[in-house]
Amino acid sequence: MLRRTFLGLLGAAGVGAALGKSAHAAGNKQFAGHPGSCGVLFDATRCIGCRRCEAGCNKVNELPAPARPFDDLSVLDVKRRTDAKTYTVVNRYDKLPGAAGPVFRKNQCQHCLEPACASACFVRAFTKTEQGGVVWDGSVCVGCRYCMIACPFDIPTFEYDEPLTPRIMKCTLCQPLIITGKLAVPGCVSACPVEALVYGARADLLRIARERLRALPGRYRNHIYGEQEMGGTSWLYLSGVPFKAIGMREDLGIVPAPEMTSGALGAVPIIAGLWPVLLTGIYAVSKRKDKIAHEEKVMAVSEAVAKAQEKAEANLHRALAKAETEKKSAIEKEVKKALEEAAKAQTQEGE
């Protein structure tokens, strides 16, 4: 469905909303985790910061090549975040207490069990799939970008450089490619040379993580990040240093996003119903302003042309008058000269 078609239909439905029908946020409490869903376990103690996961992601998702090649590790000197052309990034953290050397952390969409982006989306453009990924449907998205505001991990990004068909861009857990059989595991996982990434059923990943914590208690912090944060995520983390030290939020709690946003988002569809009416009004005002501006511009141009023509005509008249005066003076001068020469000749003949 085209966005303009959606807005037209929504405008028709908006009349009912404007009359006081009760409404609820379309995305609220609809995204509980699915049994058997998959995810990825990232072990920060194994990551070497090679950026091959970035290269693998870029390749399988056919993203634009970066300005600097993936083997250029100098980019790690600056903390980076994902953007519309980069689904995942690796950042380096130096001189951390308790760490023998630099610590690296991979960042991408966390694929929450109950996603904040889906909760904030009143047209259900985001879906938590049974396989584990959170995917976006551009055919229904209206470009409100509430998802970008709602995400506690600052992941969804907008294609601001695409004026006609901008998209919300983020990691998909390679879900479309895995479901169609093009990939067995996400591109980043298959590219990792040190097995810092493990793909599988989320329940199995939790068992693997707990076994590592049990077997090597001195190596890890006794916590699996993502097991309960924001109600749980499909991307899980192990680390030997505090998660906050490697740029991860520790203030999120365990309450899923929909439970915190349900009240605030209850009025969203009402706003959505009124939105086309508001946009129509804004469009009409904008078109009127454009029309007035165009008319004023035409009038200003006409006045400028008229003044230029008037000035040109005045200059022409002055030039003609001056030329006529000069011509008359030249004729009179020549006549006077001729008369003087004739008189002089006559005097010479008389002598």
Side-chain angles (χ1 to χ4, degrees):
M1 182 185 296
L2 295 174
R3 292 180 186 177
R4 68 186 68 176
T5 306
F6 166 79
L7 291 174
L9 296 174
L10 196 57
V15 176
L19 294 176
K21 273 192 174 183
S22 61
H24 301 282
N28 288 349
K29 301 181 182 179
Q30 299 294 319
F31 300 95
H34 298 287
S37 65
C38 293
V40 178
L41 171 64
F42 171 76
D43 191 333
T45 68
R46 297 188 178 193
C47 182
I48 59 174
C50 64
R51 298 185 65 206
R52 292 188 187 177
C53 56
E54 293 184 31
C57 173
N58 178 275
K59 180 179 180 180
V60 300
N61 288 289
E62 299 180 346
L63 298 172
R68 295 159 72 177
F70 290 108
D71 58 2
D72 182 355
L73 302 185
S74 65
V75 300
L76 299 175
D77 294 340
V78 178
K79 298 298 181 292
R80 299 173 297 147
R81 60 156 293 176
T82 60
D83 56 39
K85 297 177 175 59
T86 311
Y87 288 173
T88 186
V89 296
V90 174
N91 282 319
R92 185 185 70 217
Y93 300 86
D94 298 309
K95 300 179 181 179
L96 299 182
V103 179
F104 303 93
R105 196 261 295 190
K106 180 180 180 298
N107 188 34
Q108 69 297 301
C109 177
Q110 307 299 317
H111 297 281
C112 305
L113 301 186
E114 300 184 68
C117 57
S119 174
C121 183
F122 58 85
V123 294
R124 299 186 182 181
F126 284 93
T127 303
K128 176 67 174 181
T129 67
E130 294 183 3
Q131 293 77 18
V134 177
V135 296
W136 172 78
D137 183 356
S139 67
V140 297
C141 179
V142 296
C144 68
R145 285 163 279 176
Y146 290 164
C147 55
M148 296 172 61
I149 300 172
C151 178
F153 303 105
D154 297 325
I155 292 300
T157 55
F158 189 73
E159 287 185 313
Y160 290 101
D161 58 344
E162 292 289 343
L164 299 180
T165 57
R167 297 170 294 173
I168 295 293
M169 305 294 282
K170 72 173 195 68
C171 161
T172 64
L173 202 62
C174 287
Q175 206 75 83
L177 298 173
I178 292 175
I179 292 174
T180 56
K182 295 179 180 178
L183 291 178
V185 299
C188 60
V189 176
S190 62
C192 182
V194 293
E195 297 184 353
L197 300 169
V198 179
Y199 176 77
R202 186 174 185 272
D204 293 337
L205 297 178
L206 287 171
R207 282 194 289 270
I208 293 172
R210 292 192 185 105
E211 177 57 27
R212 292 184 186 180
L213 294 179
R214 185 198 64 78
L216 299 168
R219 180 171 182 170
Y220 298 102
R221 307 289 293 187
N222 189 27
H223 180 65
I224 305 171
Y225 192 99
E227 181 177 12
Q228 295 184 332
E229 277 75 10
M230 293 296 292
T233 64
S234 294
W235 206 278
L236 305 171
Y237 287 80
L238 289 177
S239 174
V241 298
F243 291 99
K244 185 177 181 180
I246 54 175
M248 304 184 72
R249 294 184 61 176
E250 294 184 338
D251 61 341
L252 298 176
I254 63 174
V255 179
E259 291 187 24
M260 295 188 290
T261 58
S262 58
L265 290 173
V268 167
I270 295 178
I271 297 172
L274 295 176
W275 192 10
V277 179
L278 175 62
L279 290 180
T280 300
I282 293 173
Y283 177 77
V285 171
S286 177
K287 294 300 289 184
R288 177 173 172 75
K289 287 176 65 179
D290 291 344
K291 182 179 179 182
I292 293 173
H294 177 70
E295 291 175 351
E296 290 177 347
K297 183 177 180 180
V298 171
M299 186 178 298
V301 171
S302 298
E303 290 178 356
V305 170
K307 289 181 180 179
Q309 289 178 342
E310 183 179 347
K311 185 176 180 180
E313 289 177 0
N315 290 337
L316 178 60
H317 287 311
R318 283 195 295 270
L320 290 174
K322 183 178 179 181
E324 185 66 25
T325 300
E326 291 176 349
K327 179 180 178 182
K328 184 177 180 181
S329 176
I331 292 174
E332 290 177 350
K333 184 177 180 180
E334 290 298 324
V335 170
K336 183 179 179 180
K337 181 179 179 182
L339 291 174
E340 289 176 350
E341 289 179 351
K344 184 177 180 180
Q346 188 176 7
T347 301
Q348 290 176 349
E349 288 177 359
E351 294 177 351

